Amino acid sequence: MFLISCPWCGERDQTEFHCHGEAHIARPENSLEMDDAAWGDYVFFRKNVKGVHLERWTHDHGCGRWFNAARNTATDEFLAFYKPGEAPPADLERVS
Amino acid sequence: MNTFPTPVARTPLADLPLLLGALSLEERPLSGKVSLRGNAGDSAFVEALSARFSGALPTQVGQRVESGQASLWCLGPDEWRLQCELDAVEDTLAQLRDAFGQCHASAVDVSDYYTELALSGQATRDVLAKLTPLDVSAEGFPAGSQAATRMAKCSVLLHMVRDDQAVLCVRWSHAEYLWDYLCEAAREYNH
């Protein structure tokens, strides 16, 4: 059993959650001037890190809320959970 | 000319036989349910609810307060479920919407979006444990606890009413699936 800590519900089993990919991708503000390559980057291209990855999760079967998590993709270890709108913890050992 | 039978109000599992034995499973009569959304930091919203529910608004997910025939569950940081008698829903909605006034909040009648199953018997916790990843032991989930969780493949609001009785609030269209799953899980305890 793999446990995930929802910021609102606490520790729950992973099967209650769903991962939605990389977090902190801001919608570009100059969208009118963007060319296809820039749009392609924004819409399709994601980091594929081996190491600490910041990602979005939802607690589908619990409170239904979105939150962010820092996970090491190599060891599958969760390092932090934080609410949307919050900055990721500063002390994570990033590998990028 | 074809004539259609007069529609009759029924709950989704009304036609299924009750499961009775050491463990019993039954569908509860339709109750009133209201979905409330609002900002717990907005004093107008909190006051509107506090007027109906004596005591503070529950803000911890899973917390529940009762007031007379009604109860208020905190389902998320900005979401609550009010449960009351079916007849009281219309008045409750009118009162709440009136009390909310201009504040950014909503009250929606979801009474017939969900149905409730009651599972009772000594082995209640054992049956629940087969379906949910939640710790439903007496220590981890004592009587009175409630949580939104997964049971088999559906989302369920689980309320441990007593040590030997749980009430499961499930979506109408998932009800028969959950019912079948519970019957299968309960079979070994019902000789």
Side-chain angles (χ1 to χ4, degrees), chain B residues 73-126:
Chain B
W73 291 4
C74 182
L75 300 185
D78 56 2
E79 183 175 5
W80 292 264
R81 172 75 55 79
L82 191 155
Q83 289 208 289
C84 58
E85 287 180 340
L86 194 59
D87 301 342
V89 171
E90 216 166 302
D91 285 347
T92 307
L93 277 180
Q95 286 169 13
L96 283 172
R97 286 175 181 161
D98 190 42
F100 286 159
Q102 293 299 309
C103 74
H104 187 63
S106 75
V108 179
D109 178 8
V110 293
S111 302
D112 49 11
Y113 186 57
Y114 297 94
T115 190
E116 286 173 312
L117 310 184
L119 177 70
S120 353
Q122 288 302 315
T124 295
R125 289 182 188 278
D126 301 318

Side-chain angles (χ1 to χ4, degrees), chain B residues 2-141:
Chain B
N2 285 336
T3 51
F4 294 100
T6 315
V8 179
R10 57 182 279 277
T11 49
L13 306 174
D15 300 333
L16 293 176
L18 294 181
L19 180 72
L20 294 169
L23 263 169
S24 74
L25 179 62
E26 57 183 333
E27 186 182 26
R28 290 204 151 176
L30 200 58
S31 65
K33 304 166 197 79
V34 176
S35 171
L36 294 169
R37 301 294 301 267
N39 182 356
D42 181 348
S43 58
F45 174 73
V46 175
E47 274 168 33
L49 282 180
S50 307
R52 280 193 61 83
F53 287 88
S54 44
L57 181 69
T59 49
Q60 286 288 315
V61 175
Q63 234 183 348
R64 169 196 171 98
V65 293
E66 292 197 30
S67 177
Q69 293 296 315
S71 68
L72 189 63
W73 291 4
C74 182
L75 300 185
D78 56 2
E79 183 175 5
W80 292 264
R81 172 75 55 79
L82 191 155
Q83 289 208 289
C84 58
E85 287 180 340
L86 194 59
D87 301 342
V89 171
E90 216 166 302
D91 285 347
T92 307
L93 277 180
Q95 286 169 13
L96 283 172
R97 286 175 181 161
D98 190 42
F100 286 159
Q102 293 299 309
C103 74
H104 187 63
S106 75
V108 179
D109 178 8
V110 293
S111 302
D112 49 11
Y113 186 57
Y114 297 94
T115 190
E116 286 173 312
L117 310 184
L119 177 70
S120 353
Q122 288 302 315
T124 295
R125 289 182 188 278
D126 301 318
V127 172
L128 294 177
K130 287 190 188 183
L131 272 70
T132 176
L134 199 70
D135 175 11
V136 285
S137 66
E139 298 76 38
F141 202 66

Side-chain angles (χ1 to χ4, degrees), chain B residues 162-180:
Chain B
R162 300 190 306 262
D163 270 317
D164 62 352
Q165 185 179 55
V167 171
L168 292 73
C169 184
V170 63
R171 288 195 176 97
W172 191 285
S173 55
H174 297 176
E176 193 170 343
Y177 165 83
L178 185 65
W179 176 277
D180 291 345

Side-chain angles (χ1 to χ4, degrees), chain A residues 1-6 10-14 17 78 81, chain B residues 133:
Chain A
M1 198 152 117
F2 192 39
L3 294 175
I4 294 177
S5 284
C6 166
E11 278 194 345
R12 295 291 186 90
D13 183 64
Q14 70 176 113
F17 297 84
F78 279 102
F81 299 97

Side-chain angles (χ1 to χ4, degrees), chain A residues 4-92:
Chain A
I4 294 177
S5 284
C6 166
W8 292 281
C9 303
E11 278 194 345
R12 295 291 186 90
D13 183 64
Q14 70 176 113
T15 56
E16 291 189 5
F17 297 84
H18 191 83
C19 181
H20 296 269
E22 191 180 334
H24 306 293
I25 296 175
R27 188 183 169 87
E29 290 184 4
N30 61 337
S31 54
L32 286 176
E33 294 110 56
M34 279 165 64
D35 58 9
D36 287 353
W39 269 113
D41 262 357
Y42 164 62
V43 176
F44 299 111
F45 288 89
R46 299 292 179 258
K47 286 177 199 153
N48 186 21
V49 292
K50 182 179 182 184
V52 179
H53 188 229
L54 303 177
E55 48 199 20
R56 302 186 304 162
W57 285 78
T58 47
H59 192 185
D60 297 347
H61 290 294
C63 59
R65 293 310 182 287
W66 290 76
F67 60 93
N68 297 325
R71 181 174 63 96
N72 187 322
T73 57
T75 61
D76 224 8
E77 179 189 8
F78 279 102
L79 305 169
F81 299 97
Y82 53 102
K83 293 178 182 175
E86 290 178 358
D91 53 351
L92 296 172

